[in-house]
Amino acid sequence: MSSPLSQSYRSTRSSSSESRSFESAVIRGLAEDGGLFIPSQIPKVPANFLEEWSKLSFQELAFKIMRLYVSDKEIDDKDLTELIKKSYSKFRSEKITPLVRIDSKPNLYLLELFHGPTYAFKDVALQFLGNLFEYFLQKKNKGLPSGSKRDHITVVGATSGDTGGAAIYGLRNKKDVSVFILYPTGRVSPLQEQQMTTVQDANIHTLSVKGTFDDCQALVKSVFSDKAFNDKYHVGAVNSINWARILAQITYYFHGYFQLYRSLSDAERKNLKVKFVVPSGNFGDILAGFYAKNMGLPIENLVVATNENDILNRFLHTGTYDKAPVRATYSPAMDICVSSNFERFLWYMVRASSADKDDLKTGNKVKEFMDQLSKDGVFKVSPETLKLAQSFLSSGSVTDEETVKTIRSTYLETSNRYILDPHSAVGITVAERTLAADGEKSSPYKYVSLSTAHPAKFSDVVNKALGDIKGYSFEKDVLPEELHKLASLPKKIKHIDAVSLKVVESAIEEELSKEN
Ligand SMILES: *Cc1c(COP(=O)(O)O)cnc(C)c1O
């Protein structure tokens, strides 16, 4: 049995039994040895959870789940309730993540994760992470004698589009946190740029860098490894390896399952078998489903859907994890060459398929794999480890052409003319394929595909798919008024004209001095 009081965190690469608090895992983001933080054990749901939890609201469920991962000595019940309430107060749907039916196919559902402030699924995690950062800093600063220097974090991140906006909206106006988001000039969509640059809060700074996304990412890495700069400004990260982001995402697997469960008759409930299909990039979203399943949520299968950047799909077919150059696709938020969160999944697979199931040896083995990956760009797991991985995950990869086709066919074949964004369409394509392989009408499964963005954010692809259909209008059918208005708001941008660490660091220092 896992008591919430004993919950602590360890690194995926650690060969020692050293453990950390939740706070330290969240504030640090990455372990000193380069590994990712995982809970020392995966807690189980109570035996009667279906009865007890299925009627709860999203926020109530989030509390039940997070309580199992965070000691009440670190955040007490009252504060955790308040943090959750605040994090989900800006969503446009009362259900936070509503489940809708896609009636072009039998047994197909979509879990809409894009009702947060920036219309991206990353809001579900980043709204919570922003409040957590502020909470821990306030706690530290509260006891300080007056006049002493307050603890402060300078968040620095790079974005190719969606993460930047979600991070900015998660951290705007937070006390003792400053945010710098680097993005490549002219290489994010106009709407994404408007979302990031029209936030006028004093603690938010967007740096438009004359370079590529890779340049931005390299600059952020250099800022992180500049020790003197770090000591002075306490540089923090909000990228998708932060454990709190995974934790916040576990809730919607339960909430999605329960919405489906409640919509069924008693007979259907008894036979309910659910497959979740997840459009994947850095593997954070689907990893949360892995935790949900291991906590006891009866998920039959998790299906990884990738675009043509298909390292995960190839791994699940061959056991070889092999870096390939990134190709630009119609689902840019999934254009990755390695999936950073995959390391967490790997840790569990290596441990469970080993003879002695030893935490310390597992850490050693994962470190070996990751060293190989950075040295040679590839590693291969044992047949036993692959077999185990395949028992949790299946996968499929989708071309741009198929993505467009699915947006079109879903629009034409659903009774409510449902409009998918390209990332969600990658998921639906794989869901339809899985459904066909399982025998469509005779299939015993229900399929829940995750929807990760609102179609308004990817107008080019959506218009390519639907533009010639009579009666379709982007302005009328897709673009929400709130996003339409962004175009006319004043922008706050700092231009960085050279890909240079010195230029970026002095821009950060200059902006920080203006804040105070
Ligand atoms: C980030 C993102 C994804 C990929 O999610 P991961 O957790 O990185 O696998 C998919 N779709 C959209 C729209 C995203 O922003």
Side-chain angles (χ1 to χ4, degrees):
M1 256 311 281
S2 55
S3 140
L5 291 174
S6 70
Q7 193 60 268
S8 63
Y9 290 84
R10 58 174 300 115
S11 162
T12 48
R13 295 187 200 178
S14 170
S15 55
S16 80
S17 50
E18 182 206 22
S19 73
R20 284 181 170 271
S21 66
F22 175 72
E23 172 175 351
S24 144
V26 170
I27 296 295
R28 281 209 58 89
L30 198 69
E32 281 92 344
D33 57 18
L36 310 190
F37 291 114
I38 50 173
S40 52
Q41 53 194 322
I42 302 181
K44 295 282 183 224
V45 295
N48 59 349
F49 85 102
L50 253 183
E51 269 156 66
E52 296 270 314
W53 289 13
S54 63
K55 294 180 200 76
L56 300 181
S57 69
F58 183 98
Q59 289 87 337
E60 290 165 333
L61 255 178
F63 178 86
K64 292 278 187 199
I65 291 161
M66 290 176 179
R67 189 74 292 166
L68 297 173
Y69 286 94
V70 186
S71 158
D72 63 1
K73 286 187 183 138
E74 287 194 67
I75 306 178
D76 66 25
D77 284 0
K78 185 172 145 286
D79 289 353
L80 185 59
T81 306
E82 193 50 42
L83 272 170
I84 293 169
K85 189 174 150 213
K86 213 165 138 188
S87 301
Y88 299 106
S89 64
K90 298 196 187 87
F91 279 62
R92 293 176 305 280
S93 166
E94 199 191 329
K95 286 185 178 150
I96 311 299
T97 58
L99 184 78
V100 301
R101 174 112 161 70
I102 298 295
D103 61 8
S104 52
K105 290 278 185 284
N107 299 321
L108 181 59
Y109 299 80
L110 195 69
L111 187 59
E112 293 183 343
L113 306 179
F114 56 74
H115 294 283
T118 72
Y119 294 74
F121 101 95
K122 291 185 172 68
D123 288 327
V124 179
L126 281 164
Q127 286 288 311
F128 178 67
L129 185 62
N131 285 317
L132 258 187
F133 270 15
E134 185 180 57
Y135 176 79
F136 286 135
L137 284 167
Q138 293 315 293
K139 235 165 101 171
K140 271 194 186 150
N141 286 331
K142 212 169 65 187
L144 287 178
S146 66
S148 47
K149 196 166 166 359
R150 294 174 69 84
D151 233 305
H152 177 272
I153 293 184
T154 306
V155 167
V156 182
T159 186
S160 58
D162 262 10
T163 312
I168 285 170
Y169 276 76
L171 292 164
R172 66 187 293 183
N173 205 17
K174 297 285 178 244
K175 285 187 214 80
D176 301 315
V177 184
S178 302
V179 183
F180 292 85
I181 298 294
L182 285 69
Y183 68 92
T185 307
R187 294 184 198 227
V188 300
S189 81
L191 187 65
Q192 286 171 329
E193 184 175 46
Q194 288 160 16
Q195 274 188 323
M196 290 190 279
T197 57
T198 54
V199 173
Q200 298 292 341
D201 302 59
N203 73 324
I204 301 294
H205 313 273
T206 48
L207 306 182
S208 180
V209 179
K210 210 172 189 176
T212 63
F213 171 61
D214 287 334
D215 292 332
C216 294
Q217 228 171 4
L219 283 168
V220 169
K221 269 198 183 148
S222 309
V223 172
F224 273 85
S225 29
D226 181 344
K227 187 160 182 312
F229 192 82
N230 247 283
D231 288 347
K232 195 159 171 206
Y233 298 111
H234 299 150
V235 182
V238 291
N239 50 12
S240 76
I241 47 104
N242 197 300
W243 166 253
R245 287 184 59 174
I246 309 295
L247 176 59
Q249 290 174 204
I250 297 173
T251 305
Y252 53 69
Y253 283 89
F254 281 88
H255 194 49
Y257 186 94
F258 293 146
Q259 286 178 72
L260 179 53
Y261 180 82
R262 285 201 313 268
S263 73
L264 302 173
S265 68
D266 282 347
E268 285 176 312
R269 284 178 183 180
K270 267 205 200 78
N271 299 316
L272 181 58
K273 288 190 165 74
V274 182
K275 292 189 178 186
F276 278 92
V277 183
V278 189
S280 295
N282 263 327
F283 204 77
D285 201 355
I286 195 157
L287 183 72
F290 172 78
Y291 280 102
K293 182 173 164 74
N294 282 283
M295 289 170 75
L297 185 67
I299 297 173
E300 283 293 316
N301 195 221
L302 289 158
V303 186
V304 180
T306 70
N307 61 28
E308 288 174 57
N309 298 293
D310 62 344
I311 184 167
L312 293 166
N313 183 46
R314 282 181 286 121
F315 170 80
L316 286 164
H317 285 95
T318 63
T320 300
Y321 195 72
D322 191 357
K323 229 183 202 168
V326 182
R327 272 177 285 174
T329 72
Y330 287 170
S331 41
M334 291 151 60
D335 289 346
I336 46 91
C337 63
V338 291
S339 300
S340 40
N341 270 298
F342 180 72
E343 183 171 340
R344 288 188 164 113
F345 175 71
L346 183 67
W347 190 91
Y348 292 102
M349 295 302 105
V350 168
R351 185 182 190 279
S353 61
S354 67
D356 44 13
K357 319 241 179 300
D358 180 74
D359 286 356
L360 312 185
K361 285 184 192 162
T362 303
N364 262 333
K365 187 75 202 166
V366 169
K367 184 173 182 321
E368 243 173 66
F369 282 144
M370 290 302 148
D371 288 346
Q372 258 176 304
L373 183 67
S374 69
K375 203 164 115 283
D376 309 323
V378 59
F379 67 82
K380 189 172 176 64
V381 302
S382 71
E384 294 74 36
T385 303
L386 174 62
K387 207 167 154 214
L388 190 68
Q390 288 167 335
S391 73
F392 285 98
L393 303 178
S394 51
S395 68
S397 130
V398 173
T399 63
D400 279 349
E401 201 188 341
E402 290 174 297
T403 304
V404 168
K405 234 169 120 182
T406 298
I407 295 174
R408 190 174 174 91
S409 63
T410 303
Y411 178 81
L412 291 173
E413 291 164 24
T414 45
S415 60
N416 60 349
R417 302 231 138 181
Y418 195 90
I419 300 175
L420 294 164
D421 99 289
H423 304 79
S424 310
V426 167
I428 288 289
T429 308
V430 172
E432 287 178 350
R433 233 186 256 162
T434 312
L435 202 141
D438 289 341
E440 286 230 346
K441 285 210 170 63
S442 63
S443 164
Y445 303 110
K446 302 222 180 272
Y447 302 79
V448 178
S449 198
L450 272 45
S451 173
T452 51
H454 189 284
K457 301 195 76 176
F458 301 93
S459 54
D460 285 0
V461 184
V462 173
N463 285 334
K464 196 182 190 74
L466 306 179
D468 67 332
I469 298 175
K470 208 169 157 241
Y472 163 80
S473 147
F474 180 78
E475 302 275 321
K476 187 168 64 58
D477 299 337
V478 184
L479 190 63
E481 180 56 26
E482 190 185 6
L483 294 182
H484 184 67
K485 280 195 298 217
L486 289 177
S488 56
L489 297 180
K491 289 185 184 142
K492 174 175 154 189
I493 309 176
K494 187 150 184 108
H495 290 278
I496 305 287
D497 289 328
V499 180
S500 142
L501 178 63
K502 243 176 104 184
V503 175
V504 169
E505 287 185 344
S506 35
I508 292 176
E509 290 185 303
E510 190 192 325
E511 291 295 311
L512 283 175
S513 71
K514 280 195 227 155
E515 264 185 52
N516 301 321

